[in-house]
Each structure stands twice: as structure tokens, then as C-alpha cells.
Amino acid sequence: MGEKIWPGTVNRYGHNTTYEPMTRDFTGQLHALGYLAGRYDYYRTIYPPNDSGRGGNGWIMRFTGYPEQLSMDEKGNYRAGFQGGNQPAGAPLRGQRCPKCQYEMAQIYIPLDVDRTGYDARLLDAVCAVPWQECYNPAHPTTRIEDMEWRRKQLQVAVENGQITGTEHMAQWAVPYAAYAEAPTTFVRFAGYRETFNAKPFTPPESYSTVVLDERLRFPLWQLVFHDAIVVT
């Protein structure tokens, strides 16, 4: 088996209306230092345009397509997306975008984004993080099998645009399209991950060292099955 080299990746979060958080000049500087230039990308949740929470930061992917792209359950109710249960009573729903619409948006934005900035890596968040679901929205009905297919195609769009592609959690069907994944071998409740958002030094809880990093408890099931086909954390 040939040697594999995994360079570091600098992932940039996009929080502006033009969806251009990184310039080609900056990606060139990262490449000169030996890093990949990566984009954190997310199509699953749609926030109401005037949402005062995370949807209010102007990130175009957070509010485009609301409400016509929202996924519906079998009762005709919009499905809640990330933070959908944390809203005041009567507030417009932070909803879940239908997987077909997720793919269609990725198909539009990823090539444009890569062309503008020269990205060569991309983390497509939440693609494998939730079970397959039907969408009963009459504008874009979807079966569970079709849900899987739209998610697969979303990852494939990134790959076909030259992106070293990763995702959150992982699934067997996604291995051919992802080079890395976050979280499938990490117990979230022990990770102390929220402290890292503050970009300040912090001491991980003892449980992080004793559970997450203890090789006597951490069975490398993904590695035993897929070996170096994908890097997981």
C-alpha cells in the first residue's frame, strides 16, 4: 500500500452575504505554508431571514430558500433544523432543508466558491449526522433511499470540484466520497468541545483523557473496517 500524506487544513467559516470569506491571495499564502485551504460548508438548516440567532449573521446559506425549501414530515409539518427547539414561542421555525434542495444548492455554490477562492478542502457538515428521512413537501417529495442518494451526490459535488472532502460523523455509504470525518469515534459528552469555541486555552475535563483518549476503552472499529480509506476523529 502506498504512503499517504495528510497535510493540515485551515477551515474558514463564511459569515457574510457574499459567501467570500477567503481570497485567492490568502489561499495562496496557506498553500505556500504547506496547508490546504478549507471551507466549512453547511446546507441542512435554514433560518428565517430576520432570525436574531445564528441565522441573523448574514451567512447566505443560512436563510436562502426559506420557507420553500423546508422539509416536511408525514403530517405536513416543517421539520426542525439545528437549534429548532431553542426558539421563543411563536417564532418562525429554524427548519431543515430538504436533502434534494441541499444537493441543488451545493451544485450551484461549490463550483463558484472554488473558482473564486481556490479552496482545495471542504467540510460538509451534518451530511451523515442524522438518519435518512422522507420529505413530504409536495414541491420536492423524497423517499429515504432518495435522501441517501441526494446526500451522496452532495459529497460527490465537492469531490468533483477538487475538494479534499470531509463530513460530520460518518456512514458506510459515504466512505467513497469522504477523506476524513469528525466525531465518529469521539464521545461528544466527554469532549468538552464547547470550550474550544472561545479560542482560549482551557483544561479538558478528566473524562476526556480517561475515556476519549484511553486506548483500553477506545475500540478503533472504523479503522478495523476501513483502515486508511478515511481518517476519523
Side-chain angles (χ1 to χ4, degrees):
M1 184 175 295
E3 180 181 5
K4 287 194 175 182
I5 300 176
W6 296 96
T9 302
V10 176
N11 279 325
R12 194 70 174 265
Y13 287 71
H15 293 289
N16 59 15
T17 54
T18 58
Y19 203 51
E20 299 180 66
M22 199 180 283
T23 64
R24 276 194 168 271
D25 179 65
F26 189 62
T27 57
Q29 294 178 48
L30 292 176
H31 292 155
L33 294 171
Y35 289 94
L36 298 173
R39 150 76 77 175
Y40 168 87
D41 212 354
Y42 183 61
Y43 298 91
R44 188 166 188 81
T45 296
I46 320 178
Y47 291 78
N50 297 322
D51 194 299
S52 59
R54 291 187 63 170
N57 58 25
W59 189 7
I60 190 170
M61 307 313 297
R62 292 289 194 192
F63 60 83
T64 299
Y66 191 97
E68 59 271 15
Q69 293 184 359
L70 288 173
S71 178
M72 286 183 176
D73 64 20
E74 66 277 10
K75 297 180 180 179
N77 300 313
Y78 289 135
R79 296 186 188 276
F82 179 66
Q83 291 191 334
N86 300 332
Q87 300 168 258
L93 179 70
R94 295 168 182 170
Q96 184 180 129
R97 181 180 279 119
C98 173
K100 181 177 186 292
C101 299
Q102 293 180 49
Y103 161 71
E104 291 171 346
M105 295 199 73
Q107 195 177 33
I108 294 170
Y109 279 102
I110 290 177
L112 293 173
D113 204 33
V114 173
D115 183 63
R116 275 197 299 259
T117 60
Y119 286 126
D120 40 27
R122 187 164 297 257
L123 176 67
L124 287 167
D125 202 3
V127 175
C128 299
V130 297
W132 304 331
Q133 296 173 333
E134 297 95 348
C135 174
Y136 291 86
N137 191 320
H140 34 75
T142 304
T143 67
R144 279 181 287 179
I145 292 297
E146 290 170 338
D147 181 0
M148 181 196 71
E149 187 65 12
W150 291 125
R151 297 190 206 191
R152 182 193 68 78
K153 286 183 176 181
Q154 184 184 153
L155 293 169
Q156 190 172 12
V157 168
V159 173
E160 290 176 347
N161 281 274
Q163 305 292 277
I164 305 298
T165 304
T167 189
E168 180 188 12
H169 298 302
M170 199 52 209
Q172 178 181 343
W173 54 266
V175 171
Y177 308 97
Y180 66 98
E182 61 163 350
T185 59
T186 298
F187 298 102
V188 173
R189 64 184 181 277
F190 296 115
Y193 68 99
R194 293 193 181 279
E195 289 83 348
T196 65
F197 292 162
N198 297 322
K200 298 177 181 179
F202 76 100
T203 302
E206 183 180 356
S207 59
Y208 185 85
S209 300
T210 58
V211 175
V212 177
L213 300 180
D214 192 334
E215 68 279 2
R216 294 170 298 178
L217 299 175
R218 187 185 176 97
F219 290 94
L221 297 180
W222 271 99
Q223 292 88 339
L224 287 171
V225 175
F226 296 105
H227 302 284
D228 64 350
I230 184 167
V231 175
V232 295
T233 61

